[in-house]
mmCIF file of all heavy atoms in Angstrom:
data_model
loop_
_atom_site.group_PDB
_atom_site.id
_atom_site.type_symbol
_atom_site.label_atom_id
_atom_site.label_comp_id
_atom_site.label_asym_id
_atom_site.label_seq_id
_atom_site.Cartn_x
_atom_site.Cartn_y
_atom_site.Cartn_z
ATOM 1 N N GLN P 838 4.695 4.333 -35.561
ATOM 2 C CA GLN P 838 3.662 3.338 -35.842
ATOM 3 C C GLN P 838 3.445 2.406 -34.647
ATOM 4 O O GLN P 838 4.391 1.963 -34.002
ATOM 5 C CB GLN P 838 4.093 2.536 -37.063
ATOM 6 C CG GLN P 838 3.000 1.756 -37.732
ATOM 7 C CD GLN P 838 3.460 1.242 -39.082
ATOM 8 O OE1 GLN P 838 4.597 0.836 -39.253
ATOM 9 N NE2 GLN P 838 2.570 1.229 -40.053
ATOM 10 N N GLY P 839 2.177 2.125 -34.342
ATOM 11 C CA GLY P 839 1.848 1.135 -33.329
ATOM 12 C C GLY P 839 2.054 1.559 -31.897
ATOM 13 O O GLY P 839 2.075 0.723 -30.988
ATOM 14 N N VAL P 840 2.191 2.858 -31.635
ATOM 15 C CA VAL P 840 2.364 3.336 -30.261
ATOM 16 C C VAL P 840 1.008 3.366 -29.552
ATOM 17 O O VAL P 840 -0.005 3.751 -30.139
ATOM 18 C CB VAL P 840 3.007 4.736 -30.250
ATOM 19 C CG1 VAL P 840 2.908 5.373 -28.863
ATOM 20 C CG2 VAL P 840 4.465 4.657 -30.683
ATOM 21 N N ILE P 841 1.000 2.974 -28.288
ATOM 22 C CA ILE P 841 -0.229 2.977 -27.483
ATOM 23 C C ILE P 841 -0.029 3.866 -26.265
ATOM 24 O O ILE P 841 0.938 3.692 -25.513
ATOM 25 C CB ILE P 841 -0.598 1.547 -27.042
ATOM 26 C CG1 ILE P 841 -0.905 0.676 -28.271
ATOM 27 C CG2 ILE P 841 -1.780 1.572 -26.079
ATOM 28 C CD1 ILE P 841 -1.131 -0.793 -27.935
ATOM 29 N N VAL P 842 -0.928 4.824 -26.092
ATOM 30 C CA VAL P 842 -0.937 5.682 -24.904
ATOM 31 C C VAL P 842 -2.287 5.477 -24.228
ATOM 32 O O VAL P 842 -3.324 5.912 -24.731
ATOM 33 C CB VAL P 842 -0.735 7.161 -25.278
ATOM 34 C CG1 VAL P 842 -0.748 8.027 -24.013
ATOM 35 C CG2 VAL P 842 0.584 7.358 -26.030
ATOM 36 N N GLU P 843 -2.273 4.791 -23.088
ATOM 37 C CA GLU P 843 -3.521 4.422 -22.434
ATOM 38 C C GLU P 843 -4.180 5.612 -21.731
ATOM 39 O O GLU P 843 -3.554 6.656 -21.497
ATOM 40 C CB GLU P 843 -3.267 3.293 -21.432
ATOM 41 C CG GLU P 843 -2.822 1.989 -22.091
ATOM 42 C CD GLU P 843 -2.686 0.851 -21.090
ATOM 43 O OE1 GLU P 843 -2.947 1.073 -19.881
ATOM 44 O OE2 GLU P 843 -2.339 -0.274 -21.515
ATOM 45 N N GLU P 844 -5.441 5.447 -21.376
ATOM 46 C CA GLU P 844 -6.203 6.495 -20.698
ATOM 47 C C GLU P 844 -5.510 6.887 -19.393
ATOM 48 O O GLU P 844 -5.042 6.032 -18.632
ATOM 49 C CB GLU P 844 -7.625 6.007 -20.414
ATOM 50 C CG GLU P 844 -8.531 7.075 -19.826
ATOM 51 C CD GLU P 844 -9.962 6.610 -19.678
ATOM 52 O OE1 GLU P 844 -10.342 5.609 -20.333
ATOM 53 O OE2 GLU P 844 -10.711 7.237 -18.904
ATOM 54 N N GLY P 845 -5.430 8.186 -19.148
ATOM 55 C CA GLY P 845 -4.794 8.684 -17.942
ATOM 56 C C GLY P 845 -3.292 8.850 -18.061
ATOM 57 O O GLY P 845 -2.656 9.456 -17.202
ATOM 58 N N ALA P 846 -2.690 8.316 -19.122
ATOM 59 C CA ALA P 846 -1.254 8.482 -19.358
ATOM 60 C C ALA P 846 -1.012 9.800 -20.091
ATOM 61 O O ALA P 846 -1.896 10.314 -20.780
ATOM 62 C CB ALA P 846 -0.701 7.318 -20.170
ATOM 63 N N SER P 847 0.195 10.345 -19.958
ATOM 64 C CA SER P 847 0.519 11.585 -20.663
ATOM 65 C C SER P 847 1.938 11.525 -21.207
ATOM 66 O O SER P 847 2.842 10.971 -20.574
ATOM 67 C CB SER P 847 0.354 12.796 -19.735
ATOM 68 O OG SER P 847 1.262 12.745 -18.657
ATOM 69 N N VAL P 848 2.101 12.110 -22.384
ATOM 70 C CA VAL P 848 3.390 12.141 -23.076
ATOM 71 C C VAL P 848 3.612 13.570 -23.547
ATOM 72 O O VAL P 848 2.729 14.156 -24.198
ATOM 73 C CB VAL P 848 3.401 11.188 -24.288
ATOM 74 C CG1 VAL P 848 4.715 11.316 -25.058
ATOM 75 C CG2 VAL P 848 3.173 9.747 -23.843
ATOM 76 N N SER P 849 4.763 14.153 -23.237
ATOM 77 C CA SER P 849 5.034 15.509 -23.697
ATOM 78 C C SER P 849 6.506 15.664 -24.068
ATOM 79 O O SER P 849 7.384 15.081 -23.426
ATOM 80 C CB SER P 849 4.648 16.546 -22.640
ATOM 81 O OG SER P 849 5.371 16.367 -21.453
ATOM 82 N N TYR P 850 6.757 16.420 -25.123
ATOM 83 C CA TYR P 850 8.104 16.716 -25.605
ATOM 84 C C TYR P 850 8.961 15.440 -25.688
ATOM 85 O O TYR P 850 10.090 15.403 -25.226
ATOM 86 C CB TYR P 850 8.785 17.754 -24.710
ATOM 87 C CG TYR P 850 8.146 19.125 -24.798
ATOM 88 C CD1 TYR P 850 7.164 19.511 -23.894
ATOM 89 C CD2 TYR P 850 8.508 20.008 -25.806
ATOM 90 C CE1 TYR P 850 6.554 20.766 -23.987
ATOM 91 C CE2 TYR P 850 7.905 21.264 -25.903
ATOM 92 C CZ TYR P 850 6.935 21.629 -24.999
ATOM 93 O OH TYR P 850 6.341 22.864 -25.092
ATOM 94 N N SER P 851 8.374 14.417 -26.292
ATOM 95 C CA SER P 851 9.064 13.131 -26.351
ATOM 96 C C SER P 851 8.963 12.509 -27.731
ATOM 97 O O SER P 851 8.110 12.877 -28.543
ATOM 98 C CB SER P 851 8.491 12.171 -25.303
ATOM 99 O OG SER P 851 8.752 12.645 -23.996
ATOM 100 N N VAL P 852 9.852 11.555 -27.988
ATOM 101 C CA VAL P 852 9.886 10.812 -29.242
ATOM 102 C C VAL P 852 9.705 9.340 -28.903
ATOM 103 O O VAL P 852 10.539 8.752 -28.202
ATOM 104 C CB VAL P 852 11.223 11.032 -29.983
ATOM 105 C CG1 VAL P 852 11.251 10.218 -31.268
ATOM 106 C CG2 VAL P 852 11.449 12.513 -30.263
ATOM 107 N N LEU P 853 8.611 8.750 -29.376
ATOM 108 C CA LEU P 853 8.297 7.350 -29.098
ATOM 109 C C LEU P 853 8.441 6.563 -30.394
ATOM 110 O O LEU P 853 7.738 6.827 -31.370
ATOM 111 C CB LEU P 853 6.878 7.218 -28.535
ATOM 112 C CG LEU P 853 6.700 7.455 -27.020
ATOM 113 C CD1 LEU P 853 7.247 8.796 -26.576
ATOM 114 C CD2 LEU P 853 5.243 7.308 -26.624
ATOM 115 N N LEU P 854 9.352 5.618 -30.406
ATOM 116 C CA LEU P 854 9.618 4.813 -31.598
ATOM 117 C C LEU P 854 8.592 3.682 -31.697
ATOM 118 O O LEU P 854 7.776 3.478 -30.791
ATOM 119 C CB LEU P 854 11.053 4.306 -31.545
ATOM 120 C CG LEU P 854 12.127 5.412 -31.442
ATOM 121 C CD1 LEU P 854 13.524 4.844 -31.615
ATOM 122 C CD2 LEU P 854 11.893 6.545 -32.435
ATOM 123 N N PRO P 855 8.569 2.937 -32.804
ATOM 124 C CA PRO P 855 7.474 1.979 -33.045
ATOM 125 C C PRO P 855 7.248 0.982 -31.912
ATOM 126 O O PRO P 855 8.180 0.467 -31.304
ATOM 127 C CB PRO P 855 7.931 1.262 -34.318
ATOM 128 C CG PRO P 855 8.754 2.276 -35.041
ATOM 129 C CD PRO P 855 9.489 3.008 -33.951
ATOM 130 N N GLY P 856 5.957 0.732 -31.647
ATOM 131 C CA GLY P 856 5.576 -0.320 -30.711
ATOM 132 C C GLY P 856 5.638 0.032 -29.242
ATOM 133 O O GLY P 856 5.436 -0.833 -28.385
ATOM 134 N N VAL P 857 5.891 1.293 -28.898
ATOM 135 C CA VAL P 857 5.967 1.689 -27.479
ATOM 136 C C VAL P 857 4.567 1.667 -26.868
ATOM 137 O O VAL P 857 3.579 2.043 -27.498
ATOM 138 C CB VAL P 857 6.589 3.095 -27.348
ATOM 139 C CG1 VAL P 857 6.389 3.649 -25.937
ATOM 140 C CG2 VAL P 857 8.074 3.064 -27.699
ATOM 141 N N ARG P 858 4.497 1.245 -25.604
ATOM 142 C CA ARG P 858 3.242 1.281 -24.851
ATOM 143 C C ARG P 858 3.446 2.075 -23.564
ATOM 144 O O ARG P 858 4.365 1.769 -22.786
ATOM 145 C CB ARG P 858 2.770 -0.136 -24.503
ATOM 146 C CG ARG P 858 1.508 -0.165 -23.606
ATOM 147 C CD ARG P 858 1.129 -1.580 -23.212
ATOM 148 N NE ARG P 858 0.581 -2.325 -24.322
ATOM 149 C CZ ARG P 858 -0.708 -2.386 -24.653
ATOM 150 N NH1 ARG P 858 -1.603 -1.710 -23.930
ATOM 151 N NH2 ARG P 858 -1.112 -3.105 -25.674
ATOM 152 N N VAL P 859 2.601 3.085 -23.358
ATOM 153 C CA VAL P 859 2.623 3.878 -22.132
ATOM 154 C C VAL P 859 1.317 3.580 -21.402
ATOM 155 O O VAL P 859 0.232 3.940 -21.870
ATOM 156 C CB VAL P 859 2.753 5.387 -22.433
ATOM 157 C CG1 VAL P 859 2.828 6.183 -21.128
ATOM 158 C CG2 VAL P 859 3.997 5.665 -23.289
ATOM 159 N N GLU P 860 1.424 2.915 -20.259
ATOM 160 C CA GLU P 860 0.230 2.411 -19.589
ATOM 161 C C GLU P 860 -0.461 3.462 -18.725
ATOM 162 O O GLU P 860 0.064 4.555 -18.489
ATOM 163 C CB GLU P 860 0.594 1.175 -18.766
ATOM 164 C CG GLU P 860 1.062 0.014 -19.651
ATOM 165 C CD GLU P 860 1.335 -1.255 -18.870
ATOM 166 O OE1 GLU P 860 1.404 -1.194 -17.621
ATOM 167 O OE2 GLU P 860 1.479 -2.321 -19.502
ATOM 168 N N ARG P 861 -1.624 3.109 -18.265
ATOM 169 C CA ARG P 861 -2.532 3.992 -17.528
ATOM 170 C C ARG P 861 -1.802 4.752 -16.408
ATOM 171 O O ARG P 861 -1.115 4.158 -15.571
ATOM 172 C CB ARG P 861 -3.663 3.160 -16.944
ATOM 173 C CG ARG P 861 -4.781 3.955 -16.252
ATOM 174 C CD ARG P 861 -5.843 3.004 -15.734
ATOM 175 N NE ARG P 861 -6.446 2.255 -16.844
ATOM 176 C CZ ARG P 861 -7.523 2.656 -17.505
ATOM 177 N NH1 ARG P 861 -8.121 3.784 -17.166
ATOM 178 N NH2 ARG P 861 -8.020 1.914 -18.485
ATOM 179 N N GLY P 862 -1.954 6.079 -16.417
ATOM 180 C CA GLY P 862 -1.411 6.905 -15.345
ATOM 181 C C GLY P 862 0.075 7.210 -15.442
ATOM 182 O O GLY P 862 0.603 7.975 -14.633
ATOM 183 N N ALA P 863 0.767 6.629 -16.419
ATOM 184 C CA ALA P 863 2.208 6.881 -16.560
ATOM 185 C C ALA P 863 2.447 8.262 -17.176
ATOM 186 O O ALA P 863 1.597 8.801 -17.891
ATOM 187 C CB ALA P 863 2.856 5.798 -17.415
ATOM 188 N N GLN P 864 3.626 8.818 -16.910
ATOM 189 C CA GLN P 864 4.013 10.104 -17.483
ATOM 190 C C GLN P 864 5.375 9.981 -18.150
ATOM 191 O O GLN P 864 6.307 9.417 -17.573
ATOM 192 C CB GLN P 864 4.076 11.181 -16.393
ATOM 193 C CG GLN P 864 2.740 11.531 -15.775
ATOM 194 C CD GLN P 864 2.867 12.640 -14.745
ATOM 195 O OE1 GLN P 864 3.934 13.224 -14.557
ATOM 196 N NE2 GLN P 864 1.765 12.936 -14.063
ATOM 197 N N VAL P 865 5.469 10.528 -19.365
ATOM 198 C CA VAL P 865 6.731 10.546 -20.114
ATOM 199 C C VAL P 865 7.006 11.993 -20.494
ATOM 200 O O VAL P 865 6.178 12.631 -21.156
ATOM 201 C CB VAL P 865 6.656 9.656 -21.372
ATOM 202 C CG1 VAL P 865 7.955 9.754 -22.163
ATOM 203 C CG2 VAL P 865 6.361 8.210 -20.988
ATOM 204 N N ARG P 866 8.155 12.521 -20.071
ATOM 205 C CA ARG P 866 8.504 13.915 -20.315
ATOM 206 C C ARG P 866 9.919 13.997 -20.888
ATOM 207 O O ARG P 866 10.844 13.423 -20.328
ATOM 208 C CB ARG P 866 8.478 14.721 -19.014
ATOM 209 C CG ARG P 866 7.163 14.705 -18.257
ATOM 210 C CD ARG P 866 6.173 15.680 -18.888
ATOM 211 N NE ARG P 866 4.944 15.753 -18.112
ATOM 212 C CZ ARG P 866 3.885 14.970 -18.305
ATOM 213 N NH1 ARG P 866 3.936 14.043 -19.255
ATOM 214 N NH2 ARG P 866 2.794 15.087 -17.584
ATOM 215 N N TYR P 867 10.084 14.732 -21.969
ATOM 216 C CA TYR P 867 11.411 14.982 -22.533
ATOM 217 C C TYR P 867 12.233 13.686 -22.580
ATOM 218 O O TYR P 867 13.244 13.541 -21.889
ATOM 219 C CB TYR P 867 12.143 16.046 -21.715
ATOM 220 C CG TYR P 867 11.577 17.440 -21.897
ATOM 221 C CD1 TYR P 867 10.499 17.877 -21.127
ATOM 222 C CD2 TYR P 867 12.107 18.304 -22.852
ATOM 223 C CE1 TYR P 867 9.962 19.149 -21.307
ATOM 224 C CE2 TYR P 867 11.572 19.577 -23.037
ATOM 225 C CZ TYR P 867 10.506 20.000 -22.256
ATOM 226 O OH TYR P 867 9.979 21.253 -22.431
ATOM 227 N N ALA P 868 11.769 12.777 -23.418
ATOM 228 C CA ALA P 868 12.391 11.453 -23.468
ATOM 229 C C ALA P 868 12.422 10.914 -24.890
ATOM 230 O O ALA P 868 11.679 11.373 -25.771
ATOM 231 C CB ALA P 868 11.634 10.486 -22.561
ATOM 232 N N ILE P 869 13.290 9.941 -25.104
ATOM 233 C CA ILE P 869 13.295 9.130 -26.324
ATOM 234 C C ILE P 869 13.112 7.694 -25.886
ATOM 235 O O ILE P 869 13.913 7.167 -25.107
ATOM 236 C CB ILE P 869 14.601 9.266 -27.116
ATOM 237 C CG1 ILE P 869 14.871 10.725 -27.502
ATOM 238 C CG2 ILE P 869 14.551 8.391 -28.370
ATOM 239 C CD1 ILE P 869 16.200 10.932 -28.218
ATOM 240 N N LEU P 870 12.053 7.048 -26.376
ATOM 241 C CA LEU P 870 11.756 5.662 -26.017
ATOM 242 C C LEU P 870 11.974 4.773 -27.236
ATOM 243 O O LEU P 870 11.350 4.972 -28.270
ATOM 244 C CB LEU P 870 10.307 5.537 -25.512
ATOM 245 C CG LEU P 870 10.062 5.835 -24.027
ATOM 246 C CD1 LEU P 870 10.589 7.200 -23.620
ATOM 247 C CD2 LEU P 870 8.575 5.720 -23.698
ATOM 248 N N GLY P 871 12.887 3.804 -27.093
ATOM 249 C CA GLY P 871 13.216 2.906 -28.190
ATOM 250 C C GLY P 871 12.069 1.969 -28.544
ATOM 251 O O GLY P 871 11.056 1.879 -27.832
ATOM 252 N N GLU P 872 12.221 1.250 -29.636
ATOM 253 C CA GLU P 872 11.160 0.386 -30.148
ATOM 254 C C GLU P 872 10.712 -0.644 -29.108
ATOM 255 O O GLU P 872 11.528 -1.242 -28.393
ATOM 256 C CB GLU P 872 11.630 -0.336 -31.412
ATOM 257 C CG GLU P 872 11.891 0.612 -32.579
ATOM 258 C CD GLU P 872 12.216 -0.127 -33.861
ATOM 259 O OE1 GLU P 872 11.352 -0.871 -34.355
ATOM 260 O OE2 GLU P 872 13.336 0.046 -34.374
ATOM 261 N N ASN P 873 9.391 -0.823 -29.029
ATOM 262 C CA ASN P 873 8.758 -1.857 -28.204
ATOM 263 C C ASN P 873 9.036 -1.712 -26.706
ATOM 264 O O ASN P 873 9.007 -2.694 -25.961
ATOM 265 C CB ASN P 873 9.186 -3.256 -28.679
ATOM 266 C CG ASN P 873 8.800 -3.502 -30.116
ATOM 267 O OD1 ASN P 873 7.679 -3.210 -30.528
ATOM 268 N ND2 ASN P 873 9.731 -4.010 -30.902
ATOM 269 N N CYS P 874 9.289 -0.487 -26.258
ATOM 270 C CA CYS P 874 9.394 -0.249 -24.815
ATOM 271 C C CYS P 874 8.007 -0.311 -24.176
ATOM 272 O O CYS P 874 6.989 -0.068 -24.821
ATOM 273 C CB CYS P 874 9.970 1.151 -24.540
ATOM 274 S SG CYS P 874 11.727 1.292 -24.797
ATOM 275 N N ARG P 875 8.011 -0.605 -22.873
ATOM 276 C CA ARG P 875 6.769 -0.511 -22.096
ATOM 277 C C ARG P 875 7.037 0.326 -20.864
ATOM 278 O O ARG P 875 7.998 0.088 -20.128
ATOM 279 C CB ARG P 875 6.275 -1.890 -21.664
ATOM 280 C CG ARG P 875 4.937 -1.832 -20.888
ATOM 281 C CD ARG P 875 4.543 -3.215 -20.393
ATOM 282 N NE ARG P 875 5.351 -3.639 -19.250
ATOM 283 C CZ ARG P 875 4.973 -3.518 -17.972
ATOM 284 N NH1 ARG P 875 3.809 -2.985 -17.668
ATOM 285 N NH2 ARG P 875 5.760 -3.970 -17.008
ATOM 286 N N VAL P 876 6.190 1.337 -20.667
ATOM 287 C CA VAL P 876 6.257 2.149 -19.455
ATOM 288 C C VAL P 876 5.046 1.758 -18.618
ATOM 289 O O VAL P 876 3.894 2.018 -18.992
ATOM 290 C CB VAL P 876 6.239 3.653 -19.779
ATOM 291 C CG1 VAL P 876 6.275 4.477 -18.504
ATOM 292 C CG2 VAL P 876 7.429 4.015 -20.679
ATOM 293 N N GLY P 877 5.293 1.108 -17.479
ATOM 294 C CA GLY P 877 4.223 0.559 -16.662
ATOM 295 C C GLY P 877 3.328 1.614 -16.042
ATOM 296 O O GLY P 877 3.661 2.811 -15.978
ATOM 297 N N ALA P 878 2.179 1.177 -15.576
ATOM 298 C CA ALA P 878 1.190 2.067 -14.973
ATOM 299 C C ALA P 878 1.812 2.914 -13.858
ATOM 300 O O ALA P 878 2.586 2.399 -13.028
ATOM 301 C CB ALA P 878 0.022 1.251 -14.432
ATOM 302 N N GLU P 879 1.480 4.208 -13.871
ATOM 303 C CA GLU P 879 1.905 5.177 -12.851
ATOM 304 C C GLU P 879 3.415 5.404 -12.805
ATOM 305 O O GLU P 879 3.921 6.072 -11.904
ATOM 306 C CB GLU P 879 1.422 4.748 -11.448
ATOM 307 C CG GLU P 879 -0.078 4.524 -11.334
ATOM 308 C CD GLU P 879 -0.888 5.783 -11.606
ATOM 309 O OE1 GLU P 879 -0.371 6.888 -11.375
ATOM 310 O OE2 GLU P 879 -2.053 5.647 -12.056
#
């Protein structure tokens, strides 16, 4: 719930817990992201 994946960002084979934000151009691969994490642009 409440996960945000911005334009240009990509997420694959991953588990994103509530409130995660993946910003523009960022990439997340084979990962587990805890609640309310932020992955900055690029």
Side-chain angles (χ1 to χ4, degrees):
Q838 197 168 38
V840 167
I841 297 174
V842 180
E843 295 185 1
E844 185 174 342
S847 64
V848 176
S849 61
Y850 292 94
S851 295
V852 178
L853 277 55
L854 302 189
V857 167
R858 175 184 288 270
V859 182
E860 296 184 347
R861 186 179 299 269
Q864 293 182 6
V865 177
R866 303 281 184 270
Y867 288 86
I869 302 176
L870 275 54
E872 295 186 63
N873 300 314
C874 284
R875 182 184 75 97
V876 179
E879 304 298 332

